[in-house]
Amino acid sequence: MSEPEVEFVLPDEAGDAERERALRAGLAEYELEDDDLALLQHDGDDEDGAGAEAPLPVLAIVGRPNVGKSTLVNRILGRREAVVEDKPGVTRDRVSYPAEWSGRRFTLVDTGGWEVDVAGIDKRVAEQAEVAIALADAVVFVVDATVGSTDTDEQVVRLLRRSGKPVVLCANKVDGPAAEADAAVLWSLGLGEPHPVSALHGRGTGDLLDAILDALPETSAHGVLRPTGPRRVALVGRPNVGKSSLLNKVAGAERVVVDDVAGTTRDPVDELIELKGVPWVFVDTAGIRRRVHQTTGADFYASLRTQAAIEKAEVAVVLLDASQPMTEQDTRVVQQVIDAGRALVIAYNKWDLMDEDRRPYLEREIEKELVQVTWAPRVNISAKTGWHAERLVPALETALDSWDMRIPTGRLNAFLGELVAAHPHPLRGGKQPRILFATQASTRPPRFVVFTTGFLDPGYRRYIERRLRETFGFEGTPITISVRVREKRKR
């Protein structure tokens, strides 16, 4: 079905307001429900009242692998936030969480297990734990009381002494009074009183937290002042596509562990980064695998955390590997972001690895696989070398501006009037549905409600969406159009 090419000329504000009043008055002849009336009375201004936070004291949880650090983190937070599995090496990055005890707030940092004389990914995990100690105001050293102190624990003690930070010794896995003698042995480490705790069951954690508050300073030497309302950006994609490399490049530091092994990241990692004087919170996430229900253990929980990270973010950067053919996983990740209603930027990573023969195939893949998201900004980058990484911020700003955009009701109805006049809805059963009134119900993402006298075909809704984007922009945000069919009041 060919469409006439029409350039919409929107009237001035006075004409918009007059049109809106007339259409609202016309709605009085139709049967409206309570939520219709509430929607029509709502001005739709979204409030954002995020205030600035003072820097909070930083507490790092350290220890060798599999002593229960992430379990203790979850116990202190009062929720299952950190990924936990009964095997060593699940946590790899430094992961920060806001925490509170007895009215005092602080930043809790979970770390990977510290080991001596290790190589590869384990060495990088240990390096991140050392950075966490350096950037903390106080440290909780977790030891497995059932095993006692090991040579690795002695090495950690030497590392903590060199740091000069206040240390609280946590003797974990003390599940009952009989095991408290095991905790008493840890006095030999020379770090003061060992606090017997069962992170799994919660035993003794209150006394441990009281000791932590005594060790934490009132004024942080390492906490970061959180500015008002930095936008949250989730980096998502399938495993090994370069999300952690991109975060490190944008941050200008080795903030998260990067390795050729797919699935290195497990917990979402928040990093506050200032770009061109503007603060952003970038969130590195675990790679989204083929089917969440087919994954097990740490990978299963990492997938759930990634979904939660998308929902907490405002905009998602979906990374695709430009050097490899697109997969079903890639399109599923894009759809996951759209379903969550988040602004979207598509970044083709590893552009430097793509040969010239691949380029025409990539263009065809984009036309075929991403035909439903032609509205999303595209950037071509190399996370490893930093090539074109500066193009990411303008794309993010464009997507977020569209995500926040609100069209005045009068202008929206003027636009729809022009659209219907130029391209009316096709007849169905001898009748033609008429658009009575439209309003933008919300932003983030933009949602429009259209009152009609009959059902609008899906094809006509897509036509309205396409014209909305052409006229007002909406680049980088999903938009939804819901139709409410209403009948005239009976005389």
Side-chain angles (χ1 to χ4, degrees):
M1 181 173 65
S2 61
E3 301 168 2
E5 288 298 321
V6 177
E7 183 179 345
F8 294 106
V9 181
L10 298 175
D12 58 22
E13 289 186 15
D16 289 347
E18 188 59 42
R19 185 185 194 97
E20 181 184 347
R21 278 195 295 272
L23 291 172
R24 279 183 185 271
L27 276 179
E29 299 178 19
Y30 289 82
E31 296 279 357
L32 298 180
E33 298 176 1
D34 290 343
D35 58 338
D36 296 338
L37 297 171
L39 176 67
L40 293 169
Q41 289 165 4
H42 177 55
D43 289 332
D45 293 325
D46 295 308
E47 297 288 335
D48 254 346
E53 296 179 2
L56 300 175
V58 180
L59 176 73
I61 309 286
V62 300
R64 59 184 178 80
N66 216 33
V67 293
K69 297 183 295 298
S70 294
T71 306
L72 179 62
V73 165
N74 286 342
R75 177 62 60 183
I76 293 172
L77 296 176
R79 61 187 184 277
R80 292 184 178 181
E81 190 79 38
V83 174
V84 173
E85 191 177 10
D86 191 17
K87 67 178 185 182
V90 173
T91 304
R92 289 167 176 168
D93 297 297
R94 288 181 283 137
V95 189
S96 301
Y97 305 100
E100 183 177 351
W101 177 253
S102 292
R104 274 186 68 187
R105 294 160 61 232
F106 54 95
T107 298
L108 189 62
V109 180
D110 190 13
T111 65
W114 192 90
E115 294 182 272
V116 66
D117 298 331
V118 286
I121 190 170
D122 294 328
K123 181 182 179 186
R124 286 189 281 278
V125 170
E127 287 169 351
Q128 289 295 325
E130 291 174 21
V131 171
I133 294 170
L135 297 178
D137 294 300
V139 178
V140 172
F141 177 35
V142 184
V143 180
D144 185 340
T146 61
V147 175
S149 67
T150 65
D151 290 342
T152 303
D153 290 326
E154 298 282 356
Q155 295 268 18
V156 178
V157 169
R158 283 196 280 277
L159 179 69
L160 291 171
R161 285 206 178 108
R162 283 199 302 272
S163 75
K165 302 294 172 69
V167 178
V168 177
L169 179 58
C170 170
N172 194 23
K173 305 187 183 180
V174 178
D175 295 333
E180 289 193 6
D182 298 331
V185 174
L186 297 176
W187 277 96
S188 61
L189 289 172
L191 292 176
E193 180 186 357
H195 296 271
V197 163
S198 171
L200 187 63
H201 302 118
R203 185 177 188 271
T205 49
D207 293 338
L208 175 71
L209 280 161
D210 289 339
I212 287 169
L213 293 190
D214 290 339
L216 277 175
E218 290 289 340
T219 305
S220 173
H222 300 279
V224 178
L225 180 64
R226 180 77 62 167
T228 303
R231 312 307 293 260
R232 289 183 65 86
V233 184
L235 303 176
V236 295
R238 56 187 164 99
N240 220 26
V241 79
K243 300 179 293 296
S244 298
S245 297
L246 180 59
L247 178 59
N248 284 342
K249 184 58 68 175
V250 172
E254 293 299 309
R255 176 61 183 84
V256 285
V257 174
V258 174
D259 198 86
D260 290 336
V261 176
T264 302
T265 303
R266 272 154 181 179
D267 299 276
V269 180
D270 289 18
E271 181 71 357
L272 182 65
I273 299 170
E274 190 169 294
L275 301 172
K276 296 180 180 177
V278 178
W280 299 81
V281 174
F282 279 80
V283 185
D284 186 21
T285 66
I288 298 174
R289 297 180 181 273
R290 285 182 176 83
R291 295 277 191 275
V292 172
H293 64 266
Q294 289 176 359
T295 58
T296 57
D299 289 335
F300 171 76
Y301 291 106
S303 298
L304 297 184
R305 300 295 196 280
T306 297
Q307 176 63 41
I310 291 173
E311 290 171 358
K312 284 199 291 186
E314 294 171 283
V315 57
V317 177
V318 176
L319 274 84
L320 306 177
D321 188 338
S323 65
Q324 300 291 329
M326 279 186 66
T327 66
E328 184 192 346
Q329 268 171 286
D330 292 322
T331 52
R332 186 178 296 112
V333 173
V334 171
Q335 192 58 49
Q336 204 167 337
V337 174
I338 294 170
D339 291 344
R342 296 300 172 256
L344 171 65
V345 172
I346 295 176
Y348 285 92
N349 191 25
K350 307 187 183 180
W351 200 261
D352 52 329
L353 302 179
M354 185 177 69
D355 54 40
E356 286 302 316
D357 295 338
R358 163 88 179 120
R359 198 177 297 269
Y361 291 103
L362 177 62
E363 292 300 328
R364 281 202 289 275
E365 284 172 15
I366 292 169
E367 289 175 14
K368 180 184 173 187
E369 304 293 343
L370 300 178
V371 67
Q372 301 298 328
V373 286
T374 53
W375 44 264
R378 274 176 49 196
V379 289
N380 304 326
I381 60 172
S382 169
K384 193 170 185 179
T385 65
W387 180 78
H388 280 179
E390 73 282 354
R391 295 186 177 181
L392 197 58
V393 171
L396 291 171
E397 289 172 339
T398 298
L400 284 167
D401 287 346
S402 298
W403 197 58
D404 292 332
M405 189 190 297
R406 176 174 294 282
I407 302 175
T409 304
R411 187 170 302 173
L412 176 64
N413 283 281
F415 156 79
L416 285 172
E418 294 270 348
L419 181 144
V420 171
H423 188 75
H425 193 286
L427 289 168
R428 289 290 180 264
K431 291 185 178 180
Q432 189 174 55
R434 190 159 59 89
I435 293 178
L436 302 169
F437 187 76
T439 185
Q440 185 172 348
S442 61
T443 59
R444 302 185 168 196
R447 184 172 71 87
F448 299 92
V449 176
V450 182
F451 294 89
T452 67
T453 59
F455 182 73
L456 297 186
D457 287 352
Y460 199 75
R461 290 194 206 192
R462 287 194 295 273
Y463 169 66
I464 294 174
E465 179 184 339
R466 191 163 64 252
R467 291 301 195 206
L468 270 170
R469 291 188 184 280
E470 290 172 4
T471 307
F472 298 103
F474 291 117
E475 184 184 358
T477 180
I479 61 178
T480 59
I481 299 171
S482 56
V483 175
R484 298 185 183 183
V485 179
R486 296 294 179 257
E487 296 179 352
K488 273 202 169 184
R489 295 180 185 275
K490 291 183 174 61
R491 298 283 180 188

